[in-house]
């Protein structure tokens, strides 16, 4: 009876973990995180509460920017994954999301081109000219980076892309606000977001360091081995810094809370990765590292409720 119960529990756990990993394999987690933070920034900087009460509704232009952001991030991540599959040795250790992309590449590529057409149409029709040009410039940087990484074996093994990805991700999320009105608090917010997203990438790299080593894929965790053991400390310091900046009034309280909560979540994940737990395996910590970045959602709900 005990064995049957244990087997049933393991089956339930494996189904739950599989459900959590599905958005990651479909490349839906990163776009969701991007839109969530862009929503928070729009609420805090573009739609502050009025004297008559909360005024946090997202207007049509902001909704369009979020839709374009979601599709653009999905296109970037899915293309990067599909291009990675060309060079990976699938007889060795390969992350589950890459195995999924390789298995369904014949389906995913046509979908990718269809989403590219939709995204381009939305951007050209819905975004104002200033934001469109700024977004095209940032997209140019992303394309140059992708061409460099996927076109050079040396760069594939020698560039710690976590910091580049984290910084560009933060810049993209804050771009609509920066184009409308740039400010010191927004600059500090973007820097905090860049640090947070880079930390997220480092946690994922820590999860898949064995695969990266076998595939000769560059990562900061492999280039700086001591960094892996210090991620919980870095996450804790980032959480404290976010709280301090919020208390000093240098960044909005909602941004401070969301960053602190996300960093605290990454602290826990970074700590769990190297420790065996019956209820979770290290590979599942990668998708979880993305889910903790959805902290703006409860912050927004709480702000609207208050």
């Amino acid at each position: 009876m005990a064995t049957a119960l244990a087997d049933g529990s393991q089956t339930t756990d494996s189904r739950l973990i599989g459900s959590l990993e599905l958005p990651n394999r479909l490349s839906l987690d990163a776009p969701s995180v991007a839109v969530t933070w862009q929503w928070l920034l729009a609420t805090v900087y573009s739609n502050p509460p009025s004297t008559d009460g909360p005024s946090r509704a997202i207007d049509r232009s902001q909704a369009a920017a979020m839709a374009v952001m979601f599709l653009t991030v999905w296109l970037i991540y899915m293309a990067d994954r599909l291009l990675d599959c060309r060079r990976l040795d699938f007889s060795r250790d390969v992350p589950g999301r890459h195995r999924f992309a390789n298995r369904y590449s014949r389906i995913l590529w046509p979908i990718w081109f269809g989403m590219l057409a939709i995204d381009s149409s939305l951007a050209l029709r819905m975004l104002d000219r200033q934001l469109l040009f700024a977004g095209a410039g940032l997209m140019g940087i992303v394309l140059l980076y992708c061409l460099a990484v996927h076109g050079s074996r040396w760069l594939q093994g020698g560039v710690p892309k976590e910091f580049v990805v984290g910084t560009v991700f933060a810049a993209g999320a804050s771009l609509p606000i920066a184009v409308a009105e740039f400010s010191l608090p927004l600059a500090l917010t973007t820097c905090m977001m860049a640090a947070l997203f880079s930390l997220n990438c480092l946690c994922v790299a820590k999860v898949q360091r064995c695969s990266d080593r076998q595939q000769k894929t560059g990562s900061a965790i492999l280039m700086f081995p001591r960094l892996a053991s210090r991620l919980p400390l870095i996450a804790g310091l980032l959480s404290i810094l976010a709280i301090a900046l919020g208390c000093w009034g240098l960044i909005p309280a909602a941004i401070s809370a969301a960053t602190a909560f996300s960093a605290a979540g990454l602290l826990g994940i970074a700590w769990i990765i190297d420790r065996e737990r019956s209820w979770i395996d290290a590979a599942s910590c990668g998708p979880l590292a993305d889910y903790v970045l959805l902290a703006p959602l409860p912050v927004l709900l709480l702000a609207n409720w208050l």
Side-chain angles (χ1 to χ4, degrees):
M1 177 66 72
T3 303
L5 289 174
D7 290 342
S9 177
Q10 291 176 358
T11 301
T12 302
D13 290 344
S14 63
R15 288 177 179 176
L16 176 61
I17 291 173
S19 299
L20 292 175
E21 291 179 348
L22 183 60
N24 176 263
R25 297 192 177 189
L26 294 173
S27 298
L28 296 175
D29 48 354
S32 300
V33 169
V35 169
T36 299
W37 282 88
Q38 194 174 73
W39 182 13
L40 178 63
L41 293 177
T43 300
V44 171
Y45 287 106
S46 298
N47 305 305
S50 65
T51 56
D52 298 329
S55 176
R56 296 187 171 93
I58 299 298
D59 61 31
R60 183 180 179 185
S61 62
Q62 292 168 339
M66 291 178 189
V68 171
M69 180 69 170
F70 185 94
L71 291 173
T72 301
V73 173
W74 184 87
L75 288 167
I76 293 171
Y77 272 72
M78 183 55 72
D80 181 69
R81 198 166 295 177
L82 289 167
L83 292 173
D84 276 341
C85 292
R86 300 183 309 162
R87 62 175 182 81
L88 292 176
D89 182 355
F90 284 88
S91 65
R92 299 185 177 184
D93 188 13
V94 176
R97 62 186 184 276
H98 286 90
R99 291 192 179 276
F100 179 89
N102 185 64
R103 180 178 182 181
Y104 297 103
S105 60
R106 292 185 178 181
I107 299 175
L108 291 172
W109 272 121
I111 294 175
W112 189 90
F113 282 107
M115 292 298 104
L116 176 62
I118 294 173
D119 189 31
S120 301
S121 177
L122 280 176
L124 292 172
R125 294 179 60 184
M126 303 295 293
L127 300 185
D128 62 71
R129 182 173 299 181
Q130 190 176 8
L131 179 56
L132 185 61
F133 287 158
L138 185 60
M139 194 64 191
I141 295 174
V142 173
L143 290 175
L144 288 175
Y145 168 77
C146 291
L147 287 173
V149 170
H150 290 287
S152 169
R153 294 291 300 181
W154 179 80
L155 287 175
Q156 288 171 2
V159 175
K161 60 182 180 180
E162 293 82 5
F163 303 110
V164 178
V165 172
T167 301
V168 172
F169 201 95
S174 62
L175 190 63
I177 312 300
V179 168
E181 183 178 358
F182 189 77
S183 62
L184 177 59
L186 179 61
L188 290 174
T189 294
T190 304
C191 290
M192 292 298 294
M193 290 166 55
L196 181 67
F197 298 150
S198 297
L199 180 61
N200 163 267
C201 293
L202 289 171
C203 288
V204 174
K206 184 177 181 180
V207 170
Q208 62 185 47
R209 55 189 162 180
C210 293
S211 173
D212 287 344
R213 187 178 294 111
Q214 292 182 25
Q215 301 289 345
K216 297 181 180 179
T217 300
S219 76
I221 296 297
L222 295 182
M223 294 183 67
F224 310 104
R226 294 183 180 180
L227 184 59
S229 62
R230 294 174 181 172
L231 290 184
L233 174 61
I234 295 172
L237 292 175
L238 182 60
S239 183
I240 293 172
L241 179 59
I243 294 172
L245 291 176
C247 291
W248 294 334
L250 295 176
I251 62 175
I255 302 292
S256 172
T259 305
F261 288 150
S262 293
L266 291 176
L267 186 158
I269 289 172
W271 183 82
I272 290 172
I273 291 172
D274 289 330
R275 291 164 177 81
E276 292 292 335
R277 292 290 183 271
S278 59
W279 49 274
I280 192 171
D281 60 349
S284 301
C285 290
L288 290 177
D290 291 334
Y291 292 138
V292 299
L293 296 183
L294 296 174
L297 287 178
V299 170
L300 285 165
L301 291 174
L302 181 61
N304 287 327
W305 180 71
L306 294 175

